[in-house]
Amino acid sequence: MKTIASFLLVIVGGIFINGFKNNYSQISNPWHPEVKKLKVRNKPFSVEIADLNRDKIKDLVIANVEDSSVTILIGTGKGNFSEAKGSPFTAGYMPNDIAIADFNKDGKPDLAFANTDRKYLTILTGDGSGSFTPLKGSPFPVEVKPHTHGLVAGDFNGDGNIDLVTDSWGNNRLAVLFGNNNHGFNTPVKYLEVGKNPYQSIRSADLNKDGNLDLITTNLDGNNTTILLGDGKGNFKEAAGSPFACGDSPFGVAVGDIDHDGNPDLAIINSPTITSENKGRDGLTILMGDGTGKFKPMPGSPFATGESPSRVAMGDLNGDGIKDIAVANYKSNSITVFIMNKHGVAANYTVKTGTFPDGIAIADLNGDGKGDIVVSNSGEYYINIIFSN
């Protein structure tokens, strides 16, 4: 079993240019962001951004692993947040990955969690104000080996009910739980074969532009990513050429159109140093999609990051319409920001954070048209909001 290394505390610091040896311009750092520090609960891990109270303003969802809870921060649209009434809410034992969807079909966002060290998934239903209660039947058991880590939600069989996919990384599988009309999940669970050790990260998107959701998993011990193309009826087949090589020990993935060609691309972090057993080079591998489910590395991959990158996010940080990339560096107590253009990486910056940054997400939180970065500091009780300028 993989174990996360223990690291030393580094105090929150400033901004500096990272000395990368890749083929993109090294320019002086014009980025001097405002950083806001917000207290949550013990050991915040995953972070997601969504409009939870339907006021068209982004709110924050933070899974607190040590407290087995979720903190809900309601946004004002101007970069300020206040904790929702009743927050934090119990979210099952050690909640890790978060999926947001309407599971009970009442038009209000709900939350699902992969519960680390347990063979179940927890679902909380939202009341539309930012408060949450367990869905009837939650937590939902799933027979995986040895327990759940990653999670993604979507209607994969076209019946109008939300389904869940989690990892069974001990036997190189994904487990699909198909939702039913009673707001529960059908049995038996469907299992999908993927690569070696699909630990931590599963994501979904329409990769071949056929209108159906597909699945992406990074395979930690396979040094590759598996692409499973969905038919919209609950069936999946591996894309031609899959699995695709993506650097050493891929640990997480974000999906988005990086080069603005209309095809989804993948940003994958390589993190052999975050485990106790793997070897290789930390970094960021970018795989460019061709719109059919096939991928090839962007020239220059893997790009240098800090030590032990743990998660990755995409979003437009400078308002040019092109998605940029941000990576949380667990051991370096920092994030690495990659400013992208249609030709690749235009520039990179490093921003110091709190201790052991883990979860990361991007959205415009203050209404200036530029994406802002939310980072959870899993070694503390705080998250950082880094506002783009």
Side-chain angles (χ1 to χ4, degrees), residues 295-306:
F295 293 85
K296 63 180 180 181
M298 174 182 285
S301 290
F303 300 96
T305 60

Side-chain angles (χ1 to χ4, degrees), residues 32-367:
H32 302 285
E34 173 194 352
V35 179
K36 180 174 289 188
K37 190 176 180 181
L38 298 178
K39 188 174 181 178
V40 286
R41 293 299 186 272
N42 196 12
K43 208 166 186 178
F45 263 42
S46 295
V47 174
E48 295 294 339
I49 302 173
D51 178 9
L52 301 177
N53 59 351
R54 301 181 297 173
D55 62 357
K56 299 182 180 180
I57 295 173
K58 300 296 185 183
D59 309 307
L60 305 181
V61 183
I62 303 102
N64 307 302
V65 169
E66 202 72 18
D67 284 349
S68 296
S69 69
V70 57
T71 295
I72 304 298
L73 298 178
I74 302 299
T76 65
K78 297 180 180 180
N80 300 311
F81 294 86
S82 61
E83 195 160 359
K85 184 179 180 180
S87 173
F89 304 98
T90 300
Y93 184 75
M94 294 182 68
N96 183 33
D97 216 5
I98 306 167
I100 302 175
D102 182 7
F103 290 94
N104 60 355
K105 296 192 282 190
D106 65 352
K108 302 167 186 176
D110 307 314
L111 307 176
F113 302 89
N115 296 105
T116 302
D117 284 343
R118 293 293 185 269
K119 297 177 185 284
Y120 61 68
L121 306 172
T122 296
I123 298 180
L124 304 181
T125 59
D127 67 355
S129 72
S131 294
F132 292 86
T133 55
L135 180 66
K136 183 180 179 181
S138 178
F140 294 92
V142 55
E143 190 56 42
V144 294
K145 183 179 179 181
H147 45 251
T148 65
H149 274 88
L151 186 65
V152 70
D155 182 4
F156 297 104
N157 59 357
D159 66 353
N161 299 310
I162 299 296
D163 314 310
L164 288 171
V165 182
T166 190
D167 53 335
S168 183
W169 52 273
N171 55 7
N172 306 324
R173 291 178 172 181
L174 301 182
V176 185
L177 291 75
F178 289 111
N180 59 40
N181 290 327
N182 296 319
H183 312 319
F185 296 92
N186 296 329
T187 55
V189 171
K190 184 171 187 172
Y191 295 95
L192 305 173
E193 301 293 330
V194 290
K196 190 175 181 181
N197 196 352
Y199 186 88
Q200 180 74 20
S201 187
I202 310 162
R203 292 296 178 257
S204 178
D206 181 6
L207 301 176
N208 58 351
K209 299 189 289 188
D210 65 353
N212 302 316
L213 289 174
D214 309 310
L215 295 172
I216 307 116
T217 181
T218 51
N219 306 311
L220 184 67
D221 292 341
N223 296 334
N224 54 32
T225 181
T226 296
I227 303 299
L228 298 177
L229 301 179
D231 66 356
K233 300 177 181 179
N235 304 306
F236 294 87
K237 67 177 181 179
E238 199 161 357
S242 174
F244 299 96
C246 60
D248 300 321
S249 301
F251 197 70
V253 59
V255 189
D257 182 6
I258 294 173
D259 58 356
H260 215 54
D261 67 351
N263 300 322
D265 309 306
L266 307 179
I268 296 173
I269 48 173
N270 307 115
S271 193
T273 64
I274 209 169
T275 73
S276 60
E277 302 172 23
N278 289 20
K279 296 181 180 180
R281 176 184 175 187
D282 289 345
L284 169 71
T285 295
I286 300 175
L287 296 185
M288 309 306 295
D290 68 355
T292 72
K294 296 180 182 179
F295 293 85
K296 63 180 180 181
M298 174 182 285
S301 290
F303 300 96
T305 60
E307 292 183 78
S308 300
S310 58
R311 309 220 187 187
V312 58
M314 285 191 197
D316 181 6
L317 297 173
N318 56 359
D320 65 354
I322 294 176
K323 289 188 181 297
D324 307 301
I325 301 169
V327 175
N329 303 311
Y330 189 86
K331 185 176 180 179
S332 296
N333 297 328
S334 67
I335 65 170
T336 305
V337 175
F338 296 88
I339 302 299
M340 309 298 295
N341 59 31
K342 292 182 180 180
H343 306 291
V345 178
N348 67 281
Y349 314 117
T350 299
V351 181
K352 282 294 183 179
T353 64
T355 312
F356 307 157
D358 190 78
I360 190 165
I362 299 174
D364 180 7
L365 302 177
N366 58 1

